[in-house]
Amino acid sequence: PQVWSAERYILPIIYFMGLYFAYALFKILKPRIFALALSLLILYNASVIFRVIPLTYQRLQAQLEGKISRYYPSDWLAFFLCCNWINRNLPEQPIIVSRKPNMVYFQTGNQGFVYPFSTDKEYVCEQIRKADYILIDNFEWTNATQVFLYPAMLKHPEYFEDAYVHPTEKVYVV
C-alpha cells in the first residue's frame, strides 16, 4: 500500500546485502585485490562521515540553544507549532488524533492515536470521534491525511469545528 512506501524498510537489509557482496568479492577476487577494494570502501565511508560531522555539530548546537526549528521543513515546523498551541491552550490530557501520535506525545505529553488507514468514511469518523481533538497535518511526504482523514471529516462536518488554524500552513487542530 501507499502508506507503506518508504526507504526505511530496506535499511535493515542493506547491511546484509553489503556482507554478501563483500563475501562474493572475496570469493571472486584475489585476497589482495579484495583487501584493496575493502580499504577504498572504508576510506570512502570515512570521508562521507567526516563531511557530515560539521552539520551534525551545528544541529546539536542549535538543539542545545533551542533553535533547532530552523532545520525543519515547513510542514514539520507547522506541526510543531500546532503542538505548542496545544500545550498552551488545551485542557489537561486531551486525547488527540493525528498522523504522528508519538510525536504529538513527545511534544505535548498528550496521548492519542493515529486515524485508521481506511477508505470507509463512516468507520474512520466513528474512530476519530473517540478523541477530543484532531491535529490535521499538511505533511509533504505523505498524503494519508488527505486520503483517509479529510473525506471522513467532510462527510460529517457537523461534528467538527476549528480550534486552531496555522496562519501560513494548512494545519489545523479540530
Side-chain angles (χ1 to χ4, degrees), residues 121-132:
K121 297 171 188 158
E122 292 298 329
Y123 173 70
V124 173
C125 191
E126 175 186 318
Q127 295 302 310
I128 64 176
R129 288 193 60 214
K130 294 177 182 175
D132 300 314

Side-chain angles (χ1 to χ4, degrees), residues 146-160:
Q146 290 79 12
V147 172
F148 304 117
L149 184 61
Y150 281 154
M153 292 179 69
L154 291 175
K155 183 159 180 138
H156 295 286
E158 67 275 10
Y159 295 136
F160 310 104

Side-chain angles (χ1 to χ4, degrees), residues 13-42:
I13 298 169
I14 287 176
Y15 175 75
F16 294 106
M17 289 173 52
L19 284 177
Y20 288 128
F21 182 71
Y23 180 73
L25 278 179
F26 182 74
K27 287 294 190 180
I28 293 170
L29 303 174
K30 296 179 182 173
R32 277 193 164 169
I33 296 173
F34 174 74
L36 177 65
L38 189 60
S39 298
L40 290 174
L41 182 62
I42 290 170

Side-chain angles (χ1 to χ4, degrees), residues 43-91:
L43 286 173
Y44 171 75
N45 285 334
S47 73
V48 169
I49 290 170
F50 287 120
R51 278 185 278 163
V52 173
I53 286 175
L55 180 60
T56 304
Y57 181 73
Q58 286 175 347
R59 290 186 179 170
L60 176 63
Q61 286 298 109
Q63 175 72 32
L64 294 174
E65 295 169 4
K67 298 176 182 175
I68 191 67
S69 61
R70 65 180 166 207
Y71 292 105
Y72 285 115
S74 63
D75 54 347
W76 275 104
L77 189 55
F79 180 85
F80 291 137
L81 289 173
C82 278
C83 289
N84 289 343
W85 182 89
I86 288 169
N87 274 336
R88 290 189 312 271
N89 297 292
L90 293 187

Side-chain angles (χ1 to χ4, degrees), residues 75-76 78-79 82 97-100 114-115 134-146 149-150 169-173:
D75 54 347
W76 275 104
F79 180 85
C82 278
V97 172
S98 73
R99 174 69 178 86
K100 289 296 195 179
V114 68
Y115 48 81
I134 303 168
L135 195 158
I136 303 172
D137 62 70
N138 191 27
F139 289 134
E140 296 172 8
W141 51 271
T142 180
N143 65 350
T145 299
Q146 290 79 12
L149 184 61
Y150 281 154
E169 294 282 328
K170 292 183 178 177
V171 179
Y172 308 88
V173 178

Side-chain angles (χ1 to χ4, degrees), residues 84-124:
N84 289 343
W85 182 89
I86 288 169
N87 274 336
R88 290 189 312 271
N89 297 292
L90 293 187
E92 290 291 317
Q93 300 303 313
I95 297 175
I96 301 171
V97 172
S98 73
R99 174 69 178 86
K100 289 296 195 179
N102 291 341
M103 292 303 291
V104 171
Y105 179 77
F106 291 139
Q107 295 292 316
T108 67
N110 296 319
Q111 294 190 5
F113 57 93
V114 68
Y115 48 81
F117 292 163
S118 170
T119 54
D120 182 352
K121 297 171 188 158
E122 292 298 329
Y123 173 70
V124 173

